Amino acid sequence: MTEHLLKAANTFGTPAYLYDLDAICQRIEVLRDLFDGRFGISYAIKANPNPALLAAIKPLLSTFDASSIAEVHRALDAGMDADRITFSGPAKRLPEITGAIDVGVGELVIENLHEARQASDYATRMGVEQTILVRLNPLEVPRKFGASMGGTSSQFGIDEESMEVDLPALQSLPGLKLVGFHIYSGTNCLNSEAIAENFGLFAAIFRKAQKITGISPERLVFGSGFGVPYLPGEAELDHAALPALINPIIDDLLAEPAFANASCNLELGRWLVGLCGWLLTTVVSQKTSRGREIRMCDAGFNNHLAACGMMGSVLRRNWIYENISNKTGTTAPYTLVGPLCTTIDRLALDVELAEVRVGDVIAVASSGAYGLTASPSQFISHPYPSEVVIQNGEMREATEPLRYHSFDRSNPRGAER
Ligand SMILES: Cc1ncc(COP(=O)(O)O)c(C=O)c1O
């Protein structure tokens, strides 16, 4: 890969992200085949919304999951049919709900009764029936998930213990058709047993929700939480171990008459794209400060917040860095910082690297998911990074065009239309 990384840096400049679309497509195929057709794949656009990436993976997917109306439009622009887009998210603005109904998204993922009522009012007014999934918020999430959304009070979905009251209330709303259930309760898990345990919990909640609603679900979404290693020495998720653990859970569920019509989707992002992206940054200056070798780079947390430990890490640890300009140099500890005027703009502390000189290019691995998209790129007005892709073995620039505007800001509360 080093050759590609250097070529990208030399051709397109830095900071730059490189995404290997060929490798991403391969991972989707691996996952699709892993469970012998038990699951379709739903890609969560939030992980990496680059339009070239979305267009490349679209033919391999069952659905795109969008979490804003702009992401709905990204999915449409990538060529996905509207009825194969789901729209989740805890704070959908009214114009986003109405916009999603207008374009005919396949499944609006209802997170609370308030937005259900808004969707119901609008669909009724428009004379349409909007298909919905309801997101359920489990009481329990197994340990070993990087971040857990369930088991505590949260903005995500209908609480498991409120289903008896809230699901019938939701079903009584006109203009909406409940076709299934959705759970996403934990992220970035590298342990196959914990993932299977979580799917077992999902199946139990889906059974409860089915009994309460009496529907024969057409769709069940398993927010998968499959993780990727970010830190040196972390082992990859043993995905090959998953079918033996998960297939029996799915087979038992689908064998029940009430679930005979259900199609199951795995909803995920980072496992598909995370390992297939790199941030490339050039060392622009250097100093020795009180015994520490510091190298100043042209990218910092403005371009990669997650690598700088600010996407929720409690203990900040170095990600996987490589000096791709000097792979055989003598190694020593270096502290890599970015261009921002704040002490928190630190990429790595005392990371062992081959001698780092001004002009060298450093690659940050595991940067395909929640990289640029989850970073405050406008801070201090440094240049926006290029985005470069490899597709069918060819490298080209695919920098994100800044054209997605969610809705008319002069009408943010979505007055009567
Ligand atoms: C509802 C939902 N689906 C899918 C995802 C994707 O998660 P990941 O990229 O960890 O697979 C998220 C991430 O937060 C999410 O909130």
Side-chain angles (χ1 to χ4, degrees):
M1 200 62 206
T2 307
E3 221 174 275
H4 286 309
L5 295 170
L6 277 173
K7 183 175 165 197
N10 292 335
T11 313
F12 302 101
T14 63
Y17 273 90
L18 178 70
Y19 310 130
D20 185 344
L21 303 186
D22 297 333
I24 292 170
C25 290
Q26 266 174 24
R27 280 178 85 80
I28 297 176
E29 278 163 356
V30 165
L31 194 58
R32 212 184 40 181
D33 297 343
L34 191 64
F35 297 97
D36 290 327
R38 286 174 179 78
F39 291 102
I41 309 288
S42 177
Y43 176 70
I45 296 174
K46 61 172 78 70
N48 187 329
N50 181 275
L53 184 154
L54 298 184
I57 66 175
K58 177 237 145 195
L60 303 171
L61 301 173
S62 164
T63 50
F64 274 124
D65 181 57
S67 287
S68 67
I69 194 69
E71 286 193 352
V72 169
H73 286 287
R74 285 171 186 269
L76 292 169
D77 290 353
M80 190 59 105
D81 294 336
D83 65 358
R84 288 172 57 194
I85 299 172
T86 59
F87 182 17
S88 60
K92 300 181 193 75
R93 299 161 178 89
L94 182 55
E96 295 187 282
I97 294 170
T98 59
I101 293 173
D102 285 344
V103 302
V105 295
E107 288 143 9
L108 188 62
V109 182
I110 293 295
E111 305 248 4
N112 56 64
L113 275 174
H114 180 76
E115 70 176 18
R117 289 189 193 102
Q118 289 182 314
S120 165
D121 284 351
Y122 186 69
T124 312
R125 201 145 37 90
M126 293 292 119
V128 297
E129 185 177 62
Q130 175 62 48
T131 42
I132 60 165
L133 303 178
V134 60
R135 181 169 177 179
L136 304 169
N137 178 32
L139 268 166
E140 198 187 332
V141 182
R143 291 168 58 133
K144 301 209 166 140
F145 279 78
S148 150
M149 293 159 156
T152 176
S153 59
S154 111
Q155 66 271 52
F156 303 112
I158 302 255
D159 293 342
E160 185 180 342
E161 61 278 30
S162 307
M163 291 195 309
E164 289 279 358
V165 173
D166 286 356
L167 294 183
L170 199 145
Q171 276 182 294
S172 71
L173 296 171
L176 305 181
K177 183 180 180 209
L178 179 65
V179 296
F181 308 113
H182 174 292
I183 304 182
Y184 183 95
S185 55
T187 65
N188 201 30
C189 180
L190 293 169
N191 183 288
S192 46
E193 275 93 15
I195 288 172
E197 189 186 338
N198 208 25
F199 279 30
L201 296 174
F202 291 6
I205 296 171
F206 289 154
R207 284 188 177 95
K208 262 201 254 173
Q210 188 283 324
K211 281 217 174 70
I212 294 167
T213 58
I215 66 164
S216 174
E218 291 163 32
R219 173 84 75 201
L220 300 173
V221 177
F222 290 73
S224 67
F226 295 4
V228 295
Y230 290 110
L231 307 175
E234 252 180 350
E236 277 197 44
L237 169 68
D238 180 7
H239 62 272
L242 291 171
L245 299 167
I246 287 176
N247 289 353
I249 297 171
I250 301 303
D251 293 347
D252 283 356
L253 185 66
L254 299 191
E256 294 172 21
F259 287 93
N261 300 325
S263 76
C264 299
N265 267 355
L266 285 177
E267 185 174 289
L268 75 175
R270 86 179 71 219
W271 190 89
L272 300 175
V273 299
L275 298 181
C276 308
W278 294 260
L279 171 67
L280 300 166
T281 178
T282 301
V283 177
V284 296
S285 194
Q286 65 177 35
K287 74 183 276 197
T288 309
S289 172
R290 301 186 173 132
R292 186 164 263 146
E293 285 301 321
I294 302 187
R295 298 293 179 268
M296 287 72 104
C297 302
D298 62 3
F301 78 70
N302 53 331
N303 294 160
H304 203 334
L305 193 68
C308 295
M310 283 173 264
M311 283 279 287
S313 323
V314 180
L315 283 177
R316 195 222 166 286
R317 289 163 63 193
N318 296 331
W319 277 30
I320 303 164
Y321 290 84
E322 190 178 10
N323 181 359
I324 57 170
S325 302
N326 185 24
K327 286 175 72 108
T328 55
T330 314
T331 62
Y334 291 92
T335 290
L336 304 176
V337 301
L340 308 175
C341 310
T342 156
T343 51
I344 56 173
D345 190 24
R346 193 172 69 201
L347 290 155
L349 178 69
D350 296 334
V351 63
E352 279 296 316
L353 288 172
E355 185 187 358
V356 184
R357 307 151 306 186
V358 168
D360 284 353
V361 177
I362 308 291
V364 190
S366 299
S367 298
Y370 308 106
L372 181 57
T373 186
S375 301
S377 291
Q378 293 185 17
F379 185 43
I380 313 201
S381 304
H382 288 288
Y384 194 77
S386 321
E387 290 176 287
V388 180
V389 297
I390 300 175
Q391 189 171 23
N392 303 323
E394 302 279 316
M395 188 177 289
R396 68 172 202 279
E397 185 168 3
T399 303
E400 159 78 70
L402 298 171
R403 68 160 186 273
Y404 293 98
H405 298 285
S406 328
F407 50 84
D408 178 4
R409 281 173 190 282
S410 63
N411 183 21
R413 302 190 58 177
E416 291 278 304
R417 302 151 44 108

